[in-house]
Amino acid sequence: MGILERIAEIENEMSRTQKNKATEYHLGLLKGKLARLRAELIETKSSGPKGEGFDVKRSGDARVALIGFPSVGKSTLLSTITETEAAVSSIDFTTLQATPGRWEYNGAVIQLLDLPGIIEGASQGIGRGKQVVSTARTADLILMMLDSTKSHLQRPLLEKELEAVGIRLNKHTPNIYYKVKTGGGISYNATCKQSELTEKFVYNLLHQYRIFNAEVLVREDVSIDDFIDVVVGNRIYLPCLYAYNKIDAITIEEVDRIAREDHTVVVSVEKDLNMDTLKESIWQSLSLLQVYTKRHGEYPDFSDGLIMRTGATVEDACREIHKSLLDTFKYALVWGKSAKHNPQRVGLSHPLCNEDVIEIVRK
């Protein structure tokens, strides 16, 4: 029996099993088997030759992957924002390979990647969907394009396909310390009360994966799925922005209902409705910072800032300017939101905020 058949068999058993407290443990073990088989499926497919047209070189400060079903407006959005000439048509599967576009916003260069439309079963290789969802793992943000007239059907199907290849949307990495050891058996500890996870389940799941020596420390209340993700280890946690297109085809009441959902923007790319909000939402979801530099006795250079990730420090800024600055670094002067007073004298570990101004003082 092949991997796909075994996956289908476990999924059928899970669908037949009634969900309650008595079956929670059994369902958890089935989820563990399912996760292991899906991980094997990903490794088996990725060991072969790369899909033609999907190996796009990464460029810019961040990468955004456009994911969606055929004919939802991904190529139209790419052409509108980046001025890249992408194939646009009302016919399904017009885009057959990954099409990159270059977009400049707030001083940052963002690469938009228009991926071919995917269909149900894409995570198992149907319609070249395996290459599409796997390419999405390389992105910093998933921009899920949805047809507002069919959004209640499209969104759960797309989330299921991404979930199957180990992409977790709008979730944080579980706060679990997990390390496989060479001896000593399995050590399990939790610093807080667990609503789902039990010591018995941890032991049996690890034995199912043929792991008999490991240390597990759970620092927050996690689900069974969270623990399975940590054990499997090939999960990617990405922010996702849901863009509902073609809002000109639905009622204003429906637009209002959709717009109130989390991580959601409503647009009409063809009619140029709410596009500025979409661009700003992409910027906010990427969590990028723009930090300006200044020389001693001069005004800051606001024309060309440093683009960095949220949580970046003065040390990261020095590396961004030139790594040799760290050798001669004495202290830095910072103006902006991260400073208690302007200017504040800080060291390398000082965290920076968006639109801060920094001056590096050498020895």
Side-chain angles (χ1 to χ4, degrees):
M1 185 182 292
I3 295 178
L4 291 177
E5 289 78 10
R6 289 158 66 192
I7 288 175
E9 185 180 341
I10 293 173
E11 286 178 340
N12 289 333
E13 184 176 351
M14 290 175 65
S15 64
R16 292 195 305 265
T17 305
Q18 188 176 2
K19 294 181 180 179
N20 53 49
K21 281 287 183 183
T23 61
E24 194 176 75
Y25 175 78
H26 175 64
L27 284 171
L29 292 179
L30 289 177
K31 287 179 180 179
K33 290 181 180 178
L34 190 62
R36 180 159 54 88
L37 289 172
R38 282 176 172 166
E40 289 178 13
L41 186 65
I42 293 172
E43 290 170 4
T44 302
K45 296 286 186 180
S46 62
S47 61
K50 293 183 178 179
E52 185 179 349
F54 289 87
D55 188 19
V56 179
K57 184 179 180 181
R58 189 184 181 94
S59 64
D61 300 298
R63 170 182 277 191
V64 178
L66 301 178
I67 287 283
F69 283 100
S71 300
V72 293
K74 300 188 303 298
S75 299
T76 307
L77 177 66
L78 183 73
S79 301
T80 303
I81 292 182
T82 67
E83 298 181 358
T84 300
E85 293 185 6
V88 178
S89 173
S90 58
I91 303 171
D92 289 353
F93 301 106
T94 304
T95 304
L96 299 177
Q97 60 183 16
T99 307
R102 188 176 185 273
W103 173 45
E104 294 187 18
Y105 191 78
N106 284 347
V109 177
I110 300 170
Q111 183 186 49
L112 263 66
L113 206 56
D114 178 20
L115 299 175
I118 64 176
I119 57 178
E120 191 173 359
S123 60
Q124 298 177 6
I126 298 175
R128 298 190 77 187
K130 190 71 185 178
Q131 293 96 320
V132 175
V133 289
S134 296
T135 303
R137 291 171 63 96
T138 66
D140 300 301
L141 171 69
I142 301 293
L143 181 59
M144 190 179 291
M145 292 291 293
L146 302 164
D147 188 334
S148 58
T149 62
K150 308 173 184 176
S151 58
H152 64 288
L153 299 172
Q154 292 183 345
R155 179 168 167 173
L157 289 174
L158 287 171
E159 289 176 335
K160 180 183 176 183
E161 296 302 330
L162 295 174
E163 185 99 1
V165 295
I167 297 177
R168 301 293 179 259
L169 303 177
N170 296 323
K171 293 181 180 179
H172 70 278
T173 306
N175 193 357
I176 301 174
Y177 174 77
Y178 168 72
K179 184 179 181 181
V180 178
K181 302 187 296 184
T182 56
I186 295 174
S187 170
Y188 168 79
N189 289 287
T191 60
C192 59
K193 187 177 180 181
Q194 298 297 308
S195 56
E196 292 186 25
L197 199 65
T198 62
E199 187 172 1
K200 178 184 175 183
F201 176 80
V202 170
Y203 275 70
N204 287 331
L205 180 74
L206 292 177
H207 287 167
Q208 189 180 93
Y209 280 76
R210 301 185 184 279
I211 298 171
F212 304 101
N213 301 286
E215 184 178 356
V216 179
L217 176 61
V218 185
R219 299 190 181 99
E220 64 179 358
D221 186 15
V222 298
S223 66
I224 287 174
D225 291 332
D226 290 335
F227 181 69
I228 292 172
D229 286 346
V230 171
V231 174
V232 174
N234 67 340
R235 304 314 192 213
I236 302 291
Y237 296 85
L238 294 175
C240 178
L241 183 64
Y242 302 94
Y244 289 82
N245 192 22
K246 305 179 183 178
I247 58 171
D248 53 306
I250 59 175
T251 63
I252 190 66
E253 291 80 13
E254 188 69 12
V255 172
D256 182 65
R257 184 191 65 80
I258 295 173
R260 294 178 184 275
E261 296 178 3
D262 292 335
H263 313 290
T264 297
V265 181
V266 289
V267 296
S268 175
V269 180
E270 198 169 299
K271 303 287 185 180
D272 196 24
L273 298 176
N274 212 30
M275 291 298 292
D276 290 338
T277 303
L278 174 62
K279 294 175 183 178
E280 183 60 27
S281 298
I282 293 174
W283 170 262
Q284 296 291 340
S285 300
L286 285 170
S287 299
L288 296 176
L289 304 179
Q290 192 171 30
V291 178
Y292 303 104
T293 59
K294 73 178 290 292
R295 295 178 182 273
H296 181 67
E298 298 181 10
Y299 287 108
D301 181 11
F302 291 112
S303 62
D304 186 21
L306 303 174
I307 304 299
M308 295 185 292
R309 303 283 177 186
T310 297
T313 62
V314 172
E315 182 177 356
D316 297 321
C318 290
R319 284 202 179 94
E320 191 75 19
I321 299 168
H322 200 281
K323 60 183 180 181
S324 64
L325 278 177
L326 293 173
D327 299 329
T328 58
F329 179 87
K330 187 176 182 181
Y331 62 88
L333 296 175
V334 176
W335 292 258
K337 294 178 183 178
S338 70
K340 295 179 180 178
H341 48 81
N342 291 318
Q344 181 183 355
R345 178 171 168 167
V346 299
L348 289 172
S349 61
H350 177 78
L352 298 169
C353 292
N354 190 35
E355 297 185 345
D356 276 358
V357 175
I358 182 172
E359 177 185 331
I360 308 296
V361 180
R362 301 186 182 189
K363 295 176 183 176

